[in-house]
């Protein structure tokens, strides 16, 4: 039996965890990073936030902001690049997805203390400018302790298995966003699962899993790193916030090895 301080690796992740991920569309992987690694990655995250933090513009003017963030941090910072390409993270993502994956993006995600409100209920597929996202998934890495009161994520188990007609599949503008109960009548009757994380834990979710995050009521900043690994054969489908892909043609594979490196084959 693993000692309580032993790290989870691609080799020690249990078949039961893989089975649960495939059934539920999310899984909690404890202790993927050591405390020493957490302090290095957290310092890098705090430092990039000082240099380059964007404020989510979705809220009402003057209202507290759900999430502040820095996009594409793996391309901007060598330490955070090491985290997005960390073999334990990519190896576990590969075991969960069961298909070859590329790195798509990586963002530092912050909820400021004492009042950042909850993050909107959504799934990720509709907001991603790509086609062919069958097994695309996010690794949400806790760089501080994230109890419920600090804004951990919650999920609707099994929501990634909804029929096409029960999902918002793609958006080319945020005006097309629809609340999940408008497209999925069963939504209000589905159980919801909240997953607090200790620093160094990771929660993985499928891009079709409905999820949200609570507000931050504590006196400390919530700092996480969200990394998206996409199906290796994904193609460009114009969508929202995709200006940096404007040089691409619709239908063109996202296969540039520098911009979208293969992480598992
Ligand atoms: O960090 C948050 O509050 C939301 C993160 C999220 O929705 C995601 O990583 O897909």
């Amino acid at each position: 039996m693993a000692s309580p301080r032993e790290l989870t690796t691609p080799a020690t992740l249990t078949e039961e965890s893989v089975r649960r991920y495939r059934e539920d569309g999310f899984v909690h992987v404890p202790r993927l990073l050591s405390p020493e690694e957490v302090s290095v990655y957290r310092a890098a995250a705090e430092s990039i936030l000082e240099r380059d933090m964007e404020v989510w513009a979705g809220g009402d003017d003057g209202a507290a902001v759900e999430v502040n963030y820095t996009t594409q941090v793996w391309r901007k910072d060598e330490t955070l690049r090491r985290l997005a390409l960390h073999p334990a993270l990519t190896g576990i993502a590969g075991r969960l997805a069961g298909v070859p994956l590329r790195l798509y993006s990586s963002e530092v995600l912050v909820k400021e203390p004492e009042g950042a409100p909850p993050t909107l209920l959504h799934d990720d597929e509709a907001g991603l400018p790509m086609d062919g996202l069958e097994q695309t998934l996010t690794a949400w890495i806790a760089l501080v302790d994230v109890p419920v009161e600090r804004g951990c994520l919650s999920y609707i188990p099994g929501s990634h298995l909804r029929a096409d007609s029960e999902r918002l599949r793609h958006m080319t503008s945020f005006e097309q966003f629809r609340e999940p109960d408008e497209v999925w009548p069963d939504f209000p009757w589905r159980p919801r699962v909240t997953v607090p994380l200790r620093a160094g834990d990771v929660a993985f979710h499928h891009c079709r899993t409905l999820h949200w995050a609570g507000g931050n009521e504590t006196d400390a900043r919530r700092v996480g790193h969200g990394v998206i690994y996409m199906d290796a054969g994904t193609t460009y489908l114009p969508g929202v916030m995709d200006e940096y892909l404007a040089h691409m043609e619709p239908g063109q594979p996202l296969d540039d090895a520098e911009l979208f490196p293969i992480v598992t084959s």
Side-chain angles (χ1 to χ4, degrees):
M1 180 145 149
S3 97
R5 277 195 291 279
E6 219 161 275
L7 299 182
T8 311
T9 69
T12 62
L13 182 78
T14 61
E15 273 306 318
E16 171 62 11
S17 295
V18 176
R19 190 189 63 72
R20 279 216 313 275
Y21 170 78
R22 301 227 174 127
E23 238 174 70
D24 292 341
F26 68 93
V27 72
H28 173 195
V29 176
R31 295 179 305 281
L32 196 146
L33 301 175
S34 68
E36 295 73 28
E37 289 177 303
V38 169
S39 56
V40 170
Y41 295 131
R42 178 182 173 185
E46 294 280 7
S47 149
I48 203 162
L49 287 163
E50 290 225 337
R51 304 195 301 272
D52 179 14
M53 184 171 82
E54 294 177 48
V55 175
W56 174 244
D60 300 332
D61 278 353
V65 174
E66 290 174 20
V67 182
N68 292 332
Y69 58 98
T70 306
T71 56
Q72 296 295 358
V73 291
W74 75 280
R75 295 188 193 161
K76 297 175 180 167
D77 181 273
E78 199 41 50
T79 305
L80 294 170
R81 177 188 182 89
R82 280 210 312 279
L83 177 54
L85 295 171
H86 193 298
L89 198 65
T90 56
I92 289 175
R95 275 201 63 200
L96 296 174
V99 298
L101 297 172
R102 292 179 185 278
L103 175 56
Y104 172 63
S105 67
S106 112
E107 298 182 334
V108 170
L109 297 161
V110 166
K111 278 189 186 288
E112 299 295 358
E114 290 169 354
T119 306
L120 179 83
L121 172 72
H122 67 285
D123 63 36
D124 297 332
E125 182 178 33
L128 292 171
M130 290 101 93
D131 211 2
L133 300 175
E134 292 305 315
Q135 300 303 335
T136 294
L137 75 171
T138 294
W140 202 101
I141 307 153
L143 296 177
V144 295
D145 283 340
V146 189
V148 175
E149 298 71 19
R150 192 163 291 142
C152 69
L153 272 68
S154 296
Y155 308 88
I156 311 278
S159 51
H160 64 310
L161 302 176
R162 281 167 296 154
D164 289 356
S165 60
E166 295 173 326
R167 304 196 315 272
L168 174 67
R169 294 177 63 199
H170 191 66
M171 292 186 294
T172 51
S173 95
F174 285 116
E175 267 110 64
Q176 293 164 350
F177 181 76
R178 291 172 67 199
E179 296 294 338
D181 57 354
E182 289 177 52
V183 276
W184 190 30
D186 209 25
F187 163 72
W189 315 111
R190 289 295 180 128
R192 304 166 188 203
V193 176
T194 296
V195 181
L197 301 178
R198 291 182 196 269
D201 291 1
V202 179
F204 290 83
H205 66 259
H206 188 284
C207 66
R208 294 179 184 156
T209 304
L210 283 169
H211 61 279
W212 70 101
N216 185 359
E217 305 308 326
T218 70
D219 59 5
R221 214 180 200 191
R222 188 210 71 174
V223 186
H225 185 190
V227 186
I228 299 183
Y229 302 105
M230 62 181 175
D231 298 67
T234 301
T235 55
Y236 176 51
L237 178 65
V240 290
M241 295 175 82
D242 62 350
E243 295 72 19
Y244 75 107
L245 298 176
H247 61 285
M248 296 192 67
E249 292 295 323
Q252 193 179 334
L254 273 70
D255 61 358
D256 182 314
E258 288 290 308
L259 297 179
F260 309 110
I262 288 274
V263 294
T264 62
S265 47

